[in-house]
Amino acid sequence: MADQHDGSRVVALVPAAGRGVRLGESMPKAFVPIGGSSMLTLAVDGLIASGVVDHIVIMAPAELIGEAPVLLGIVETTGPVPVSVVSGGAERTDSVRAGIAAALNTPKTVSHFLVHDAARALTPPSLIERVVAELRAGQSAVVPGLPVADTIKTVDAHGDVTGTPDRSVLRAIQTPQGFEAQLLRDAYASGLHATDDAGLVERFGAHVRVIPGDPLAFKITTPLDLHLARTLLAERADAALTTGLPR
Ligand code: C5P
């Protein structure tokens, strides 16, 4: 754990209160099963497996708060990585704000926050470790990003193209996004708005560093993404079975 060797304390905030309308499933997205576990459980498992997170705060839909720990097979613990479940809000930013408040409502000091979408259920623990390593090396805001494969165009309200940004300088940003705790608190308290946490911190005037992302940290948004995630997990389960067989 982080706080056992350098005094830093990393709290992961997991927004999981979205409806997931684009996914077309009947339950809130984070609770949709993939290979026997929910997306949220897989995301939390990845955070724990990284070995660099000291506390996890899940922001769940209000009506599922009571059931969340059971549904997820998560026990709110006082163990090595305690997991808390709190109510999220109407917008993702409201959910993150609720998570920050819950994390700070404990006697222990928080040095860094990670904000990690439950919908990025297959994020490798190694990516989480790399984000925290950059924070420990002194960066105040760190986000993983991948080069974009498609050409991106800006368009107006009629669908007419207004520009084509140079693709080589674009990055598709993933999570976990990592921040010095005070910076994220101040950015959220500023009243500014942005579509992601790093965007908010940028508007607040802070420097954000992009490190190489990982294709497996893709966000499960559409039925095609869900199919890909389920296929990847089924392949992993098959591989584990095969390697477990006697020769
Ligand atoms: O909808 P989208 O895929 O962008 O959501 C990203 C993450 O934010 C998801 O894990 C979702 O559950 C979470 N979210 C939230 N509260 C909301 C909306 C989204 O925690 N009001």
Side-chain angles (χ1 to χ4, degrees):
M1 290 310 109
D3 63 354
Q4 283 169 15
H5 58 78
D6 67 357
S8 69
R9 187 159 176 276
V10 178
V11 175
L13 307 174
V14 185
R19 301 280 120 209
V21 175
R22 288 167 291 180
L23 200 57
E25 299 277 322
S26 57
M27 63 185 80
K29 178 160 83 171
F31 294 77
V32 171
I34 322 175
S37 299
S38 69
M39 283 190 211
L40 180 51
T41 305
L42 290 166
V44 167
D45 285 349
L47 287 164
I48 293 172
S50 74
V52 293
V53 172
D54 299 294
H55 180 194
I56 297 172
V57 180
I58 295 168
M59 291 79 83
E63 71 276 14
L64 288 177
I65 282 292
E67 298 167 63
V70 180
L71 268 175
L72 300 171
I74 289 173
V75 184
E76 293 193 48
T77 67
T78 50
V81 186
V83 179
S84 315
V85 184
V86 299
S87 197
E91 304 289 333
R92 185 182 179 283
T93 46
D94 300 320
S95 297
V96 175
R97 190 174 282 111
I100 293 172
L104 296 176
N105 194 22
T106 68
K108 292 192 172 177
T109 312
V110 182
S111 65
H112 298 96
F113 282 118
L114 296 181
V115 186
H116 186 41
D117 290 336
R120 299 186 189 270
L122 302 190
T123 302
S126 58
L127 177 60
I128 300 162
E129 276 181 69
R130 286 195 285 114
V131 170
V132 171
E134 288 287 327
L135 291 171
R136 291 225 180 93
Q139 294 291 334
S140 51
V142 179
V143 300
L146 290 176
V148 294
D150 295 320
T151 292
I152 306 290
K153 293 198 185 289
T154 55
V155 292
D156 65 17
H158 309 290
D160 294 320
V161 171
T162 54
T164 306
D166 172 9
R167 198 169 66 181
S168 69
V169 298
L170 296 177
R171 295 291 179 273
I173 298 304
Q174 305 178 314
T175 73
Q177 300 192 350
F179 306 94
E180 273 176 4
Q182 191 65 46
L183 173 60
L184 192 66
R185 287 175 71 173
D186 291 346
Y188 265 88
S190 69
L192 293 167
H193 293 281
T195 50
D196 75 332
D197 304 291
L200 186 65
V201 161
E202 282 161 60
R203 288 200 169 176
F204 189 62
H207 170 79
V208 178
R209 164 65 66 86
V210 177
I211 63 166
D214 190 305
L216 285 172
F218 68 99
K219 186 166 73 171
I220 301 168
T221 306
T222 65
L224 183 61
D225 300 326
L226 187 59
H227 179 70
L228 175 62
R230 285 180 170 149
T231 304
L232 288 168
L233 275 188
E235 278 176 13
R236 252 185 227 176
D238 280 353
L241 265 182
T242 310
T243 48
L245 284 176
R247 286 167 191 254

